Amino acid sequence: MFCALMLCSCTEPLKEYDFKDFGITKGWHDNVSANLSLDIKEGMAPGKIYICAQILNNGKLAAVDSLPVFIAFISPDSKKYFDTVNLPLNVTQVEGVYRKSGRLIEIQWPYMNNINVNIPGRWKIILRHLSKDNSVYDNIIGIGVSYK
């Protein structure tokens, strides 16, 4: 019985979110991809995928409306799906979407609704910014994904 308890306590929990911290002094540079992952369990109810970011509010983003981002999804059976999105920065302070605390802004963008994933297992997600102007992305100090 002791071995069974040890085995149960060592199994990795499901990852329903993942986050890449770039650091407050570095930001998200063009040569850095956010390599993330999510676990999809068989029989999970349809859910939503969110992209979230922590942004340092120091005025550099004032002239920018959105952040273009490339997304790659790699399924547990190695199928690849690609997309690009523009993450809007002019969101209003709505509970659960936008939160500001001092110089730190946290935004959670809904990416896809009502997703019924029929391939269970660990999905890899790669996020890479598409801007040629790195100074804008210096303020992105972390980016992530979640499945709810």
Side-chain angles (χ1 to χ4, degrees), residues 14-72:
L14 284 177
K15 275 177 86 173
E16 294 177 349
Y17 68 91
D18 200 0
F19 190 80
K20 170 78 173 174
D21 184 357
F22 300 116
I24 199 161
T25 59
K26 293 182 180 178
W28 192 8
H29 295 286
D30 63 349
N31 60 347
V32 176
S33 293
N35 296 309
L36 309 167
S37 62
L38 294 174
D39 288 336
I40 305 298
K41 192 170 81 174
E42 191 167 348
M44 281 180 89
K48 295 179 183 180
I49 292 180
Y50 293 89
I51 299 172
C52 54
Q54 288 185 337
I55 303 168
L56 188 62
N57 185 18
N58 67 3
K60 284 186 187 178
L61 295 176
V64 179
D65 291 335
S66 64
L67 301 171
V69 175
F70 166 81
I71 306 172

Side-chain angles (χ1 to χ4, degrees), residues 93-123:
Q93 280 190 280
V94 176
E95 185 66 32
V97 175
Y98 178 100
R99 188 171 62 205
K100 185 175 180 182
S101 176
R103 291 180 45 211
L104 185 66
I105 298 171
E106 294 179 349
I107 303 176
Q108 180 174 279
W109 297 274
Y111 171 66
M112 281 192 175
N113 295 322
N114 204 25
I115 297 173
N116 191 1
V117 179
N118 56 7
I119 304 171
R122 179 152 291 175
W123 284 70

Side-chain angles (χ1 to χ4, degrees), residues 7 11 14 23 27 58 66 72 82 86 88 91-92 104 115 119 134 136 142:
L7 288 174
T11 59
L14 284 177
N58 67 3
S66 64
F82 304 102
N86 283 311
V91 296
T92 57
L104 185 66
I115 297 173
I119 304 171
N134 265 348
V136 171

